[in-house]
């Protein structure tokens, strides 16, 4: 992998490039899709399948980049990698043993690095993207879209323990509503009508 770059940087480089570069991205993605088909059929990979289908449609149905922008790509990529991280069991690895320790917790590298280590098909995809974008290890011309960190403040698709604070579904409500408060609000509403 090119030093200092996250995988999203390579994907965005090809996605924002010429028609030839977009076709190359679609070709690389199709190769990954074929190689990971059996994996996506496993139990626990349901969300990965959904996010994979969405990315496949992005790469196939918007070949000129007219409909979707870079933030759409970043968001979908982040959701895909996060789902793959959870399905691959990377979320269960304690933070102190993670390969992402030398990256900010909200960085793409912190999200992607453990998945590359744990998931061979994703690691292969990352290597192929890297080989295509920077065949001699040069980062020249590749814009770092990952420099501002991930888009999610709170992981919408994550389960505990998540890099971004886990699922909102698993957390208790911040302010519990008492039944007396509900009854009082209903009484006021009934009285007003």
């Amino acid at each position: 992998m090119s030093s200092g770059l996250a995988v999203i940087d390579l994907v965005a480089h090809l996605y924002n490039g010429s028609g030839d570069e977009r076709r190359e991205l679609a070709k690389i993605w199709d190769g990954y899709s074929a190689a990971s088909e059996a994996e996506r059929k496993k139990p626990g990979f349901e969300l990965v399948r959904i996010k994979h289908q969405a990315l496949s449609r992005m790469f196939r149905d918007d070949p000129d980049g007219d409909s979707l922008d870079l933030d759409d790509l970043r968001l979908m990529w982040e959701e895909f990698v996060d789902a793959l991280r959870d399905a691959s069991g990377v979320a269960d690895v304690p933070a102190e043993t993670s390969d992402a320790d030398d990256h900010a917790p909200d960085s793409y590298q912190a999200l992607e690095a453990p998945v590359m280590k744990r998931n061979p098909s994703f690691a292969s995809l990352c290597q192929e993207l890297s080989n295509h974008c920077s065949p001699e290890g040069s980062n020249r011309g590749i814009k770092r879209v990952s420099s501002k960190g991930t888009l999610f403040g709170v992981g919408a698709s994550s389960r505990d323990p998540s890099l971004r604070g886990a699922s909102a579904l698993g957390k208790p409500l911040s302010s519990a509503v008492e039944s007396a408060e509900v009854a009082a609000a209903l009484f006021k509403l009934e009285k007003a009508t």
Side-chain angles (χ1 to χ4, degrees):
M1 188 72 202
S2 300
S3 67
L5 293 177
V7 181
I8 185 60
D9 296 324
L10 305 177
V11 173
H13 175 72
L14 293 174
Y15 189 78
N16 281 337
S18 67
D20 290 338
E21 288 174 324
R22 280 177 171 267
R23 282 187 285 283
E24 187 61 30
L25 174 60
K27 181 180 166 188
I28 291 169
W29 184 256
D30 288 345
Y32 167 74
S33 297
S36 63
E37 185 173 0
E39 173 184 89
R40 289 190 316 274
K41 291 181 180 180
K42 291 180 184 176
F45 280 78
E46 295 82 5
L47 192 54
V48 174
R49 281 194 299 274
I50 293 168
K51 302 304 179 182
H52 177 271
Q53 289 170 350
L55 277 170
S56 296
R57 283 192 303 271
M58 283 180 78
F59 298 150
R60 183 185 59 238
D61 296 343
D62 190 24
D64 299 322
D66 295 334
S67 303
L68 301 168
D69 65 8
L70 186 58
D71 283 338
D72 295 325
L73 175 68
R74 287 178 60 201
L75 180 65
M76 189 52 57
W77 181 260
E78 184 177 337
E79 288 177 347
F80 168 72
V81 175
D82 193 45
L84 189 59
R85 180 186 64 83
D86 287 346
S88 298
V90 176
D92 299 329
V93 176
E96 55 269 15
T97 63
S98 171
D99 287 343
D101 287 340
D102 48 341
H103 301 292
D106 68 339
S107 73
Y108 280 96
Q109 291 93 336
L111 180 66
E112 296 167 344
V115 180
M116 282 189 264
K117 185 166 182 100
R118 193 82 178 253
N119 189 295
S121 60
F122 183 72
S124 178
L125 168 67
C126 298
Q127 188 60 49
E128 191 166 349
L129 286 165
S130 181
N131 290 343
H132 179 76
C133 292
S134 54
E136 297 168 7
S138 170
N139 296 346
R140 194 169 193 200
I142 300 175
K143 184 179 175 186
R144 288 198 60 219
V145 299
S146 64
S147 61
K148 294 181 182 173
T150 55
L151 295 176
F152 282 149
V154 176
S157 64
S158 298
R159 294 181 288 273
D160 279 328
S162 171
L163 292 173
R164 293 177 305 281
S167 172
L169 298 175
K171 294 180 180 177
L173 294 175
S174 59
S175 61
V177 178
E178 298 292 326
S179 59
E181 293 173 6
V182 173
L186 288 173
F187 179 74
K188 284 182 184 179
L189 182 64
E190 187 178 285
K191 196 174 184 181
T193 57

